């Protein structure tokens, strides 16, 4: 048997420090569901989701009970729907979204992702119809998440699609104005979108994936924060603890957290007979007190989040998380890094409220972590071109640095900087982030075309 | 054909006990299969499983051990297992659970929790306790195969027990501890 102190360390982690498996996401190929018309296609999609995911939620819950670790979300990610619905028009795509929503409800999953298109180089006629359908589709559904990949390191940025993104975000917020623009919280724009990410809103089942696959998202910022606090508490004398030792603690703790996800993922996979895909090692905060990535900044030595040093701390955290997790899991994938979704993290939201964290610092921080400007509530008055331009900056960071970046901005109708918005639950709450230089980027967005891919050599 | 014996030995701890006892077994032609030993408050206790030729008797083994020169006497007990090969051992369970119990030290903690297990037909495979700063901590490895309660009901009854006894009692699957502390996955 293991030593008692090891056993107790793990018991602490599970019972007191919010250790959970954040999500088990079933990726499902829907390319074979295209029927001769929209009705047939909807029927095939409904049947396929039911046949693959009928026992999915019950199995996750059984494994969660067996191992005593909560599986917070059970989700489905499907093939990007613009591929599945080639040739359909915008009304058809709204019907597909409603069908997916109903199928997701029928099997009991929390969210379904993959209402998506990949247009990093060019857009087909279907892609344009699909993008036009997004505001109505998300307003008409509750469980559907949408994402568009508009940039890659290999192809550059599709500036025509980018111009449409600002408008889509605005339309989404305005169509859901009675919910403070919540529609925009279910839509994310990507650069280098991974095909095996289990986290929402950006989960898809990429074209490179097998028929069905299970991906697991582990989290645990609370576990890491408590481990760091313990280490610091046990070294009270100045000079007895250095940053590399703190990084090592993060690494070891991540190893443990990841292992729990790997165990649950393998068990669900075995039980359902569906291939186990990847563990995504992301540190994803929740609005729960004690489950914050923002808190880790303070523990590691900045008094407010956004103070000089914040980017460096995040770089170290992100790297230590990867190092610990990669060894713990057979296959790692998805986004795998620290998330800084403002509304979903009480401490980050607080930093926006007291002015210590501004958009530009947040953007700088996204250069060294996954995933990007995530869940940032901005004034409803910010125009579509400015939103597109903010997204363009975020995409450029991803393109040049060969990493995934994303933008999920919520222009909250009728609210201005300093006002407060709350979506409740895992989506959280935050003050509205002030945006500087609004309306100054329209000529840039109006060019359209493509921003060429960067050189992949001469990297000094 | 061989005969199997289970030998239990207790003595004041000193260097050389294991060498002496296993030496006695070896000189009788015995083949040692397994050995488990622990030291508590300066006393060593060990349990050994060994097989011998059919002509070797319990008395021969007791005599061999009693001839060992030592300051403190060995307390020995030997059980001869039936020759049929049925050595009484069940297959070890494929799944075990770890129960942890923590609380301020008081009389009857171990008895209480072990009685709880007995009442529910739960077998304790291993148990370790530590007392530090008047906090008593116990970790038990459990075999739930014969317990008819489901895990959920067991969890509820443990919660009740936890409240009544003022102890923090948790149960988790053994694999969780294994994967978080060992390199290999189960």
């Amino acid at each position: 048997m293991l030593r008692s102190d090891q056993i107790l360390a793990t018991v602490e982690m599970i019972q007191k420090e919010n250790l959970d498996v954040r999500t088990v996401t079933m990726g499902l190929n829907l390319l074979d569901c295209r029927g001769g018309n929209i009705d047939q296609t909807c029927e095939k999609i409904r049947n396929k989701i039911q046949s693959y995911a009928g026992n999915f939620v019950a199995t996750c819950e059984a494994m969660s009970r067996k191992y005593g670790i909560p599986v917070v979300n059970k989700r489905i990610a499907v093939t990007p729907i613009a591929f599945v619905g080639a040739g359909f028009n915008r009304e058809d795509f709204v019907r597909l979204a409603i069908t997916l929503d109903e199928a997701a409800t029928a099997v009991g999953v929390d969210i379904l992702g993959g209402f998506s298109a990949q247009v990093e180089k060019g857009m087909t006629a279907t892609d344009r119809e699909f993008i036009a359908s997004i505001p109505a589709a998300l307003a008409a559904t509750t469980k559907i998440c949408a994402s568009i990949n508009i940039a890659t390191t290999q192809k550059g940025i599709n500036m025509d699609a980018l111009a449409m993104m600002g408008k889509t975000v605005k339309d989404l917020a305005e169509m859901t104005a009675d919910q403070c623009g919540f529609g925009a919280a279910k839509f994310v724009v990507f650069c280098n979108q991974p095909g095996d990410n289990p986290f929402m809103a950006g989960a898809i089942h990429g074209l490179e994936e097998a028929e069905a696959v299970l991906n697991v998202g582990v989290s645990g910022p609370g576990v890491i924060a408590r481990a760091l606090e313990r280490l610091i508490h046990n070294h009270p004398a100045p000079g007895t603890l250095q940053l590399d030792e703190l990084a090592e603690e993060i690494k070891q703790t991540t190893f443990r957290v990841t292992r729990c996800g790997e165990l649950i993922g393998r068990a669900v996979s075995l039980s359902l007979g569906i291939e186990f895909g990847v563990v995504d090692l992301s540190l994803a905060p929740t609005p729960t007190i004690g489950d914050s990535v923002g808190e880790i900044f303070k523990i590691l030595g900045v008094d407010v989040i956004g103070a000089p040093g914040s980017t460096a701390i995040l770089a170290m955290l992100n790297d230590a998380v990867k190092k610990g997790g990669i060894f713990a899991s057979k296959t790692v994938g998805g986004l795998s890094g620290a998330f800084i979704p403002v509304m979903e993290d009480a401490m980050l939201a607080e930093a926006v409220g007291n002015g210590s964290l501004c958009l530009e610092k947040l953007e700088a921080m996204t250069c060294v972590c996954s995933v990007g400007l995530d869940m940032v509530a901005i004034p409803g008055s910010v125009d579509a071109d400015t939103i597109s331009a903010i997204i363009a900056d975020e995409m450029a960071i991803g393109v040049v640095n060969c990493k995934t970046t994303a933008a999920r901005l919520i222009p909250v109708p009728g609210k201005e900087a300093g006002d407060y918005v709350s979506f409740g639950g895992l989506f959280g709450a935050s003050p509205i982030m002030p945006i500087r230089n609004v309306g100054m980027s329209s000529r840039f967005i109006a060019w359209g075309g493509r921003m060429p891919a960067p050189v992949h050599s001469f990297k000094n | 054909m061989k005969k199997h014996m289970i030998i239990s030995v207790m003595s004041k701890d000193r260097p050389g006990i294991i060498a002496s006892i296993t030496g006695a077994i070896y000189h009788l032609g015995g083949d040692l299969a397994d050995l488990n030993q622990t030291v508590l408050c300066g006393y060593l206790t060990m349990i050994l499983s060994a097989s011998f030729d059919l002509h070797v008797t319990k008395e021969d083994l007791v005599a061999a051990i009693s001839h060992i020169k030592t300051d403190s006497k060995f307390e020995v007990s030997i059980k001869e297992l039936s020759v049929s090969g049925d050595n009484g051992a069940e297959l070890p369970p494929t799944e075990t659970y770890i129960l942890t119990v923590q609380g301020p030290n008081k009389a009857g903690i171990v008895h209480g929790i072990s009685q709880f297990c007995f009442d529910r037909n739960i077998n304790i495979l291993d148990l370790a306790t530590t007392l530090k700063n008047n906090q008593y901590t116990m970790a038990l490895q459990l075999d739930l195969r014969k317990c008819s309660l489901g895990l959920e009901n067991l969890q509820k009854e443990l919660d009740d027990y936890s409240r009544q006894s003022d102890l923090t009692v948790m149960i988790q699957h053994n694999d969780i501890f294994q994967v978080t502390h060992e390199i290999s996955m189960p």
Side-chain angles (χ1 to χ4, degrees):
Chain A
M1 195 161 81
L2 294 156
R3 295 199 321 264
S4 307
D5 57 333
Q6 294 178 325
I7 288 174
L8 291 178
T10 303
V11 168
E12 289 271 309
M13 201 164 86
I14 294 166
Q15 304 288 351
K16 298 184 187 163
E17 298 171 4
N18 293 326
L19 175 79
D20 53 36
V21 170
R22 188 52 48 86
T23 178
V24 178
T25 303
M26 179 187 289
L28 197 54
N29 166 44
L30 294 187
L31 284 177
D32 58 350
C33 293
R34 180 67 159 87
N37 57 42
I38 180 69
D39 292 326
Q40 285 173 5
T41 308
C42 288
E43 187 58 26
K44 284 184 171 191
I45 287 176
R46 211 175 269 124
N47 291 342
K48 183 149 191 188
I49 290 177
Q50 185 62 44
S51 77
Y52 275 83
N55 291 325
F56 174 50
V57 172
T59 307
C60 288
E61 281 168 359
M63 292 309 149
S64 171
R65 278 195 300 275
K66 175 176 172 182
Y67 292 109
I69 294 181
V71 176
V72 181
N73 291 292
K74 279 72 73 177
R75 298 166 170 170
I76 293 176
V78 298
T79 310
I81 286 297
F83 292 121
V84 180
F88 286 158
N89 62 30
R90 63 192 71 181
E91 288 79 20
D92 293 337
F93 279 116
V94 174
R95 282 197 54 196
L96 281 181
I98 293 169
T99 300
L100 288 167
D101 200 39
E102 288 166 356
T105 305
V107 297
V109 294
D110 306 290
I111 305 182
L112 185 146
F115 197 71
S116 305
Q118 295 181 322
V119 297
E120 61 268 20
K121 193 171 179 202
M123 281 180 286
T124 62
T126 299
D127 290 331
R128 289 179 186 276
E129 283 297 304
F130 172 77
I131 291 171
S133 81
I134 290 173
L138 294 196
T141 54
T142 55
K143 290 179 186 275
I144 303 302
C145 282
S147 56
I148 304 281
N149 191 63
I150 63 160
T152 66
T153 298
Q154 300 301 323
K155 304 295 175 196
I157 305 176
N158 181 340
M159 296 299 287
D160 292 326
L162 175 78
M164 294 168 79
M165 293 302 102
K167 187 173 176 317
T168 304
V169 170
K170 286 286 282 184
D171 289 349
L172 270 164
E174 275 154 24
M175 284 188 80
T176 51
D178 56 335
Q179 300 165 262
C180 298
F182 180 60
K186 299 186 287 180
F187 174 67
V188 55
V189 184
F190 268 98
C191 165
N192 295 324
Q193 182 177 25
D196 54 5
N197 152 34
F199 288 102
M200 295 294 173
I204 57 167
H205 184 68
L207 292 180
E208 71 279 16
E209 296 288 322
E211 187 68 21
V213 70
L214 285 174
N215 296 319
V216 170
V218 297
S219 183
V223 179
I224 289 182
R226 299 293 86 74
L228 290 172
E229 279 175 347
R230 258 197 307 276
L231 184 67
I232 293 166
H233 178 78
N234 293 335
H235 294 78
T240 54
L241 192 60
Q242 294 190 319
L243 204 55
D244 45 359
E245 289 158 288
L246 291 160
E248 184 62 21
E249 184 69 21
I250 296 169
K251 198 169 93 181
Q252 290 187 14
T253 308
T254 309
F255 174 87
R256 296 199 175 105
V257 171
T258 307
R259 268 299 172 81
C260 293
E262 177 91 4
L263 183 69
I264 300 261
R266 286 192 194 184
V268 175
S269 156
L270 195 67
S271 179
L272 286 175
I274 290 179
E275 184 188 338
F276 182 40
V278 303
V279 172
D280 186 319
L281 313 168
S282 296
L283 274 192
T286 65
T288 311
I289 300 297
D291 203 22
S292 158
V293 170
E295 185 184 12
I296 299 174
F297 287 86
K298 292 192 178 178
I299 294 169
L300 289 176
V302 289
D303 297 337
V304 293
I305 303 159
S310 300
T311 309
I313 285 174
L314 187 56
M316 183 190 87
L317 173 65
N318 200 55
D319 180 64
V321 165
K322 287 183 208 288
K323 284 172 178 161
I326 284 170
F327 185 59
S329 170
K330 195 171 58 168
T331 42
V332 170
L335 299 164
S336 288
F339 290 179
I340 44 172
V342 175
M343 291 188 69
E344 294 171 1
D345 188 311
M347 308 273 285
L348 290 174
E350 184 190 297
V352 169
N354 65 29
S356 63
L357 181 60
C358 64
L359 185 77
E360 288 76 5
K361 185 63 179 176
L362 193 64
E363 184 186 303
M365 284 158 60
T366 67
C367 299
V368 297
C369 78
S370 72
V371 64
L373 295 172
D374 196 15
M375 288 301 283
V376 184
I378 61 173
S381 58
V382 175
D383 62 288
D385 284 350
T386 302
I387 293 173
S388 285
I390 295 171
I391 296 172
D393 288 341
E394 194 57 41
M395 297 297 105
I397 290 170
V399 167
V400 170
N401 294 301
C402 306
K403 71 187 286 292
T404 301
T405 52
R408 185 158 49 144
L409 305 167
I410 303 129
V412 184
K415 302 234 175 183
E416 287 305 319
D419 290 347
Y420 192 79
V421 61
S422 172
F423 294 143
L426 281 177
F427 288 93
S430 123
I432 308 284
M433 170 85 86
I435 304 295
R436 299 191 303 132
N437 303 319
V438 173
M440 303 292 174
S441 313
S442 294
R443 283 188 299 116
F444 167 63
I445 297 303
W447 293 119
R450 287 164 57 199
M451 183 179 285
V455 288
H456 294 290
S457 183
F458 308 100
K459 289 208 166 192
N460 289 319
Chain B
M1 188 72 85
K2 291 273 185 182
K3 71 164 69 165
H4 294 274
M5 293 198 215
I6 300 291
I7 306 134
S8 145
V9 181
M10 191 181 85
S11 160
K12 193 166 190 346
D13 194 26
R14 63 161 173 86
I17 295 177
I18 297 178
S20 304
I21 300 286
T22 53
I25 292 170
Y26 175 66
H27 290 303
L28 286 171
D31 182 10
L32 189 65
D34 208 352
L35 183 161
N36 218 324
Q37 65 105 49
T38 188
V39 178
L40 194 68
C41 300
Y43 277 81
L44 175 139
T45 177
M46 69 173 144
I47 182 164
L48 308 95
S49 147
S51 54
F52 297 87
D53 287 337
L54 289 179
H55 64 81
V56 178
T57 64
K58 268 163 59 170
E59 291 69 27
D60 293 339
L61 193 52
V62 170
I65 293 173
S66 60
H67 281 110
I68 296 166
K69 282 186 183 143
T70 176
D71 293 343
S72 62
K73 202 171 145 285
F74 293 126
E75 290 175 35
V76 183
S77 148
I78 298 171
K79 169 88 180 154
E80 199 174 309
L81 299 178
S82 59
V83 197
S84 66
D86 170 23
N87 59 8
E90 286 186 349
L91 285 173
T94 50
E95 296 200 354
T96 61
Y97 284 78
I98 302 286
L99 187 74
T100 52
V101 182
Q102 290 172 281
N105 190 25
K106 61 182 177 186
I109 297 181
V110 179
H111 171 66
I113 202 76
S114 52
Q115 186 68 40
F116 177 95
C117 293
F118 173 61
D119 291 343
R120 286 156 188 80
N121 218 359
I122 296 168
N123 193 22
I124 300 172
L125 301 169
D126 204 348
L127 192 165
T129 65
T130 38
L131 179 62
K132 196 175 168 189
N133 305 329
N134 206 40
Q135 277 291 110
Y136 198 74
T137 304
M138 189 166 36
L140 304 95
Q141 189 176 22
L142 305 178
D143 174 3
L144 301 183
R145 281 179 301 181
K146 290 185 181 157
C147 172
S148 55
L149 292 169
L151 190 58
E152 258 173 291
N153 290 329
L154 179 60
Q155 185 80 56
K156 278 193 200 113
E157 295 195 4
L158 277 172
D159 290 345
D160 291 342
Y161 183 82
S162 183
R163 267 190 300 278
Q164 287 158 18
S165 59
D166 207 20
L167 295 165
T168 311
V169 185
M170 309 275 189
I171 191 164
Q172 298 281 162
H173 199 284
N174 182 66
D175 288 356
I176 293 287
F177 300 97
Q178 199 179 333
V179 298
T180 51
H181 290 281
E182 293 179 6
I183 299 290
S184 60
M185 291 279 289

